[in-house]
Amino acid sequence: MFHPVVKISLLLYFTALLVSARNFADDPRNAVQGLHLESYNEEQVQGCYNYNKTLGICFDIQRHSFELLKTTGEQIFVNHDLGPDSFLYQVLDLTFLGIGSSIVYVPKDIPKVREELLAFLALKKAGPSSEQQKNEDFESMKAHYQEAMSELHYTPEMQLLELLPEALMDNSTQLEILKPFYTLCLSLLSRADVQTPAQLKATLRLHDHQRQKRCTNMKTVSWHRRNECRGMCGPTCTCWSLICGDCCYHQGCYEHDRCCDVKGFWDTYCLLPFMYSFSCSSYGAYPKCLY
Ligand SMILES: *[C@@H]1O[C@H](CO)[C@@H](O)[C@H](O)[C@H]1NC(C)=O
Ligand SMILES: *[C@@H]1O[C@H](CO)[C@@H](O)[C@H](O)[C@H]1NC(C)=O
């Protein structure tokens, strides 16, 4: 009926269809419910977390880079090194560059390709032309940062930033590279002022209760002794128990709090703890943030 060549190409066509149908089903982006990992090791943790058929989030966590994506592949948050002392920080369609311990906004008319970004970076590294320019750059960065946070506020995937760390923690193999990522998730939630709906809230795990008995929960210590909760993980006296597993004193959180005291909110040592080897026992930007 068919010419042999046609037969073969039809066969190839259907094989290709079958393969792509299999890939579609295997693709974690299309799977239903729960955590789907493509890699899970100290170099990289990659996968997706699906809450239901319409709400899911994908992630690619590496030592010096983080990416949060919609299940369609659209980027929500991207952060990676661009060379010594400089990095890219992108929230949806707003791009920032980190230079040393400050960040600058990258105007929309600058193409978001590596060479262009590096050229812009070199320009900014040379320093502002005047004090007025410096102030303008700072104000522009603040305004765009707030804009980025309000865009995030209305991004539905953000509501999964409690369940995702919780799901990742639910593994007997705990990885160090995940700590900064948990910090990232909670920082973004807090700065974008996202109130996670009740059904999407993380629940405190059982072993947290056991640990709480062996250390002093800072939430229970009287106010004047808490030193405004320095050392408890989370902004001021908010406890982010997901990060170190409880509301106790952690050296890493203390060191980060000190950096914020000295440098202020807009300094990257305070703003982006996940960039500087944060762990519960130490913070990579400390003590250099003190000087
Ligand atoms: C998925 O969950 C979200 C959040 O609870 C909800 O708004 C949405 O309607 C759900 N979608 C489906 C298909 O159930
Ligand atoms: C736990 O980690 C292993 C890799 O060490 C991975 O294969 C497994 O899927 C993970 N389990 C869960 C529930 O995340």
Side-chain angles (χ1 to χ4, degrees):
M1 202 166 69
F2 290 116
H3 187 274
V5 175
V6 175
K7 268 192 194 160
I8 288 174
S9 55
L10 271 178
L11 186 69
L12 283 176
Y13 174 72
F14 283 111
T15 313
L17 262 187
L18 263 176
V19 168
S20 65
R22 259 206 70 216
N23 282 347
F24 186 81
D26 287 349
D27 187 341
R29 289 162 200 245
N30 303 305
V32 182
Q33 289 241 312
L35 191 62
H36 303 272
L37 295 167
E38 278 166 52
S39 20
Y40 189 87
N41 56 61
E42 281 295 1
E43 298 307 314
Q44 185 179 32
V45 179
Q46 190 186 14
C48 295
Y49 177 80
N50 295 317
Y51 177 69
N52 61 24
K53 279 200 163 121
T54 51
L55 191 59
I57 192 163
C58 297
F59 50 86
D60 184 356
I61 306 157
Q62 297 183 34
R63 249 175 223 292
H64 298 289
S65 75
F66 301 98
E67 207 167 318
L68 285 170
L69 306 136
K70 299 188 179 184
T71 50
T72 52
E74 204 182 320
Q75 292 169 329
I76 298 172
F77 177 84
V78 180
N79 180 196
H80 61 78
D81 282 348
L82 273 179
D85 249 11
S86 47
F87 58 84
L88 175 86
Y89 182 94
Q90 185 193 326
V91 176
L92 299 162
D93 60 340
L94 293 152
T95 306
F96 302 85
L97 291 180
I99 305 168
S101 74
S102 52
I103 46 176
V104 290
Y105 171 67
V106 183
K108 289 226 161 91
D109 57 354
I110 295 190
K112 303 301 178 292
V113 292
R114 199 179 159 81
E115 304 81 70
E116 296 279 349
L117 288 173
L118 288 177
F120 183 80
L121 182 73
L123 190 75
K124 291 292 167 187
K125 264 190 169 166
S129 49
S130 62
E131 199 58 28
Q132 188 194 346
Q133 184 63 44
K134 192 176 165 185
N135 287 338
E136 277 173 18
D137 282 354
F138 185 62
E139 291 308 320
S140 162
M141 179 278 288
K142 280 206 302 197
H144 287 99
Y145 183 84
Q146 300 297 6
E147 184 187 340
M149 292 304 126
S150 38
E151 281 186 20
L152 275 186
H153 182 84
Y154 295 105
T155 304
E157 286 80 3
M158 290 289 290
Q159 297 178 359
L160 296 178
L161 290 193
E162 277 197 32
L163 288 183
L164 169 60
E166 188 184 52
L168 285 169
M169 274 177 202
D170 197 19
N171 197 314
S172 49
T173 316
Q174 276 305 302
L175 303 173
E176 269 312 303
I177 65 160
L178 287 175
K179 286 285 173 210
F181 179 69
Y182 301 153
T183 320
L184 166 69
C185 291
L186 294 167
S187 310
L188 287 180
L189 276 178
S190 155
R191 304 218 160 106
D193 193 25
V194 173
Q195 304 298 326
T196 311
Q199 79 270 24
L200 300 176
K201 277 213 162 296
T203 50
L204 203 63
R205 291 153 304 140
L206 189 66
H207 65 265
D208 294 341
H209 296 293
Q210 290 161 355
R211 254 211 85 189
Q212 302 236 344
K213 291 193 192 112
R214 284 189 277 116
C215 63
T216 310
N217 182 336
M218 292 187 73
K219 290 181 99 173
T220 64
V221 176
S222 72
W223 179 265
H224 69 277
R225 279 185 49 219
R226 283 194 280 181
N227 195 12
E228 285 168 50
C229 304
R230 269 182 207 87
M232 185 167 84
C233 311
T236 60
C237 286
T238 310
C239 169
W240 288 349
S241 60
L242 270 177
I243 293 183
C244 297
D246 54 44
C247 298
C248 302
Y249 176 94
H250 290 278
Q251 187 62 26
C253 295
Y254 173 80
E255 292 177 1
H256 174 252
D257 286 345
R258 288 289 298 132
C259 290
C260 292
D261 287 346
V262 173
K263 291 286 186 195
F265 180 85
W266 292 106
D267 191 275
T268 59
Y269 292 149
C270 177
L271 200 58
L272 317 172
F274 46 88
M275 287 294 298
Y276 303 97
S277 316
F278 172 85
S279 79
C280 295
S281 57
S282 73
Y283 180 39
Y286 186 88
K288 76 173 167 225
C289 69
L290 302 182
Y291 309 110

